[in-house]
Amino acid sequence: MAAPASPLVPVAVLMLLLCGAPRTHGRRSDVRVITDENWRDLLEGEWMIEFFAPWCPACQNLQPEWESFAEWGEDLEINVAKVDVTEQPGLSGRFIITALPTVYHCKDGEFRRYQGPRTKKDFINFISEKEWKSIEPVSSWFGPGSILMSSMSALFQLSMWIRTCHNYFIEDLGLPVWGSYTVFALATLLSGLLLGLCMIFLADCLCPSRRHRPQPYPSKKLLPESSQPLRKVEEEHEADDADVSEEEAERKEGTNKDFPQSAIRQRSVGPSLATDKS
C-alpha cells in the first residue's frame, strides 16, 4: 500500500511559483524611456534609440529582440532607449520619423540611422565591431538640436494639440464637425490679426517713422565744394543788391539836398517878382 503524500509538497510548490512569478514578470526593463523632457541626455555617451508605436505590428515583433539587446547594454557600455511616438509627437518631428520602427545610433551628439537587420545578434555586432563608423552621420542642419528641427518639433506638438482640441469639441462638448472647424477658423483669423498688430508695433518701435521737417539754411562755412559756384552767384547777387541800395541812397540824398535850394530860390524869386510888378 502506497504511503499518503505529504501535504507539505503542494505548499512548497505553490511557494516556489509565487516567489518565481515576480522575478519573471516584475523584472525591471533595461530599456530607458525618452521623452521631450530628457531627450538631451542622448547628446552624451553612446545610445541606441528605437522609435515605435504600440499599434504597429512590426514594432511589436521587435520588442523581444530589443529587450534582449538592452540586457547587453552594460557589457557593451551603451544605453538602450525607446520613444513612443504616440505620446511624444515632438520627438517624432525632431528626428523626422517617417516609418516605424526606426532605430537611431548616437555617439557624442552624432546621430546615425540604423538600417541593418533587427535582431539581437545584429545589434550587438553593430556596437561591438563599430559598424556605425561606416554610416554617414546626420547633417547638423537636420540634427535634433538644430533650430530647424526644433521648429519642426513645435509644429508636430501644435498639430497634436489641435487634434486633441478637435476631439474634445466633438466628443465631450457635442459640437458638429463644421462647428469645430469654425472655431479653429475664427481662432486662426484672430491670431493672425494679433500677430500683425504685434509686428506693426515692433516695426514702429525699431524703425520709427520720420516726419518731414524743413531743413535749416546751411551756413556758408558748411557748404561743400560742389556748391562753390552757387555761392559765388549768391555773393554776386548780394553785391549787386548792395550797389543798387547805395545808388538809391545817393539819389535820395541828392534829392534831399536839391529840395531846400529850390525852395530858397523860389522864395527869393517870389518877392522880386512882386516888386517888379509893382
Side-chain angles (χ1 to χ4, degrees), residues 16-79:
L16 290 174
L17 292 175
L18 293 176
C19 294
R23 292 179 183 178
T24 304
H25 300 285
R27 182 178 176 276
R28 185 179 62 86
S29 175
D30 294 323
V31 180
R32 295 184 57 177
V33 178
I34 301 299
T35 62
D36 285 318
E37 287 74 20
N38 64 350
W39 77 269
R40 291 191 177 275
D41 294 343
L42 302 175
L43 302 178
E44 298 179 358
E46 189 172 7
W47 294 76
M48 286 285 283
I49 314 104
E50 176 205 5
F51 291 85
F52 74 100
W55 48 263
C56 174
C59 300
Q60 295 174 2
N61 295 332
L62 179 60
Q63 292 308 309
E65 298 290 334
W66 197 252
E67 293 287 343
S68 299
F69 169 60
E71 296 177 0
W72 287 76
E74 186 176 356
D75 297 332
L76 297 173
E77 297 181 354
I78 187 173
N79 299 301

Side-chain angles (χ1 to χ4, degrees), residues 7-17:
L8 296 177
V9 175
V11 175
V13 173
L14 181 61
M15 292 296 295
L16 290 174
L17 292 175

Side-chain angles (χ1 to χ4, degrees), residues 70-215:
E71 296 177 0
W72 287 76
E74 186 176 356
D75 297 332
L76 297 173
E77 297 181 354
I78 187 173
N79 299 301
V80 181
K82 63 181 179 180
V83 178
D84 187 353
V85 296
T86 60
E87 296 181 359
Q88 308 297 328
L91 292 180
S92 177
R94 190 179 293 276
F95 287 86
I96 317 179
I97 304 302
T98 58
L100 294 174
T102 298
V103 178
Y104 270 94
H105 173 267
C106 178
K107 176 69 173 178
D108 297 330
E110 289 186 349
F111 290 84
R112 295 172 173 85
R113 191 164 183 171
Y114 177 81
Q115 296 180 346
R118 297 171 182 176
T119 62
K120 180 184 73 171
K121 181 180 179 181
D122 294 313
F123 291 143
I124 293 174
N125 293 334
F126 181 77
I127 298 301
S128 61
E129 298 179 5
K130 296 184 179 181
E131 296 178 0
W132 50 267
K133 289 186 177 181
S134 61
I135 302 176
E136 187 70 20
V138 177
S139 173
S140 59
W141 287 97
F142 297 98
S146 64
I147 298 176
L148 180 62
M149 292 298 100
S150 298
S151 302
M152 188 68 68
S153 174
L155 183 62
F156 272 63
Q157 290 178 347
L158 178 62
S159 63
M160 183 59 65
W161 179 80
I162 292 175
R163 181 179 179 181
T164 303
C165 292
H166 178 69
N167 294 334
Y168 173 75
F169 291 151
I170 295 176
E171 297 176 0
D172 296 344
L173 298 183
L175 293 177
V177 176
W178 63 266
S180 177
Y181 290 159
T182 303
V183 172
F184 284 113
L186 294 176
T188 303
L189 292 175
L190 182 60
S191 60
L193 291 174
L194 293 177
L195 182 61
L197 290 175
C198 292
M199 293 179 65
I200 293 173
F201 177 76
L202 291 176
D204 193 20
C205 292
L206 297 176
C207 301
S209 58
R210 298 179 180 178
R211 297 180 180 179
H212 180 71
R213 296 180 180 179
Q215 297 181 354

